[in-house]
Amino acid sequence: DGSSAPPRTFSRGFAAGTAPRDAPPAPPTSRAEAERAEDERLEDERLDASKRAKDDDRDATRALVARLLTAATRRVAELGWSEAALRAAADDLGYSRAVAGAVKNGVGSLVHHFCEDCDSRLSVRIVLEQEDALDPLPPSERLATAIKWRLESLEPVIETWPAALAIQAAPENAAATATRVALLAAELVRAMGAPGAGLRRATRA
């Protein structure tokens, strides 16, 4: 008819009025939603702070118990492997005697702590004296020397050691004792110069 129609336009990409599929989510559209999101954020922060506080408390308790057990071993010669030794250690450290209750398994933990300390000091001594004291010896003498070093650590409490052996053999302590003794046996095998070898094979060698 001679009339000119406006040119037709075609949009590329997304249809008008729609958002890209991978577009970020729209912000909360109401005040209630915004408040709910803020509440959730604050709750997450509160939970994180609570977890950190609990972790700090556990670490502090473990450190306190370790100090108490170390001090108690110095009282064993006088008071034996007993709750009395734990209470005396609390006195020595300036703590309330009530902290002795923080030691789970009581005297069992005291004996275990002492033995672990002896095993740790043996490991250090083996490393420090390996080249001069152990390497020149045959395997059987290396083993004898390492055992001698380990027995020397019992001298401060030798009079009370039979009681400690009985405590270690108690049912509630047997599993921890077996694990520790296995680790000590492995340390003695290494002292013989047979790393990675089984105890039977190393002893035969």
Side-chain angles (χ1 to χ4, degrees):
D1 58 2
S3 62
S4 59
R8 299 177 62 185
T9 59
F10 298 91
S11 61
R12 295 181 180 180
F14 302 101
T18 63
R21 292 181 182 179
D22 58 349
T29 57
S30 70
R31 181 175 180 179
E33 290 178 351
E35 291 177 348
R36 183 164 56 251
E38 178 66 10
D39 289 343
E40 290 175 354
R41 184 185 67 79
L42 293 174
E43 179 64 11
D44 288 342
E45 290 181 356
R46 186 190 68 79
L47 292 174
D48 287 344
S50 177
K51 183 179 181 301
R52 286 194 299 271
K54 289 179 180 178
D55 290 342
D56 290 345
D57 287 344
R58 281 193 293 268
D59 291 343
T61 299
R62 281 194 290 266
L64 183 150
V65 168
R67 288 195 298 270
L68 185 65
L69 291 173
T70 298
T73 60
R74 294 192 287 268
R75 288 290 199 150
V76 167
E78 173 190 359
L79 300 172
W81 305 95
S82 64
E83 295 290 340
L86 292 171
R87 291 192 293 270
D91 291 339
D92 294 340
L93 294 173
Y95 298 148
S96 165
R97 289 191 167 194
V99 301
V103 181
K104 294 181 180 179
N105 203 25
V107 294
S109 294
L110 178 57
V111 175
H112 187 73
H113 177 84
F114 174 79
C115 290
E116 281 197 325
D117 181 64
C118 292
D119 294 345
S120 177
R121 286 187 282 118
L122 173 65
S123 297
V124 172
R125 186 169 184 180
I126 288 173
V127 170
L128 293 177
E129 302 194 32
Q130 181 81 45
E131 183 175 350
D132 294 333
L134 296 179
D135 286 350
L137 303 175
S140 61
E141 291 186 25
R142 293 177 199 165
L143 177 61
T145 300
I147 291 175
K148 176 177 177 291
W149 290 345
R150 180 60 175 78
L151 291 175
E152 287 174 353
S153 64
L154 302 181
E155 289 181 1
V157 297
I158 194 63
E159 296 299 326
T160 65
W161 195 241
L165 292 175
I167 292 170
Q168 292 180 79
E172 63 271 20
N173 302 322
T177 298
T179 300
R180 186 187 55 74
V181 170
L183 293 173
L184 175 59
E187 189 67 50
L188 294 173
V189 167
R190 285 191 290 272
M192 293 175 68
L199 182 60
R200 181 177 177 183
R201 175 182 172 188
T203 304
R204 189 188 311 115

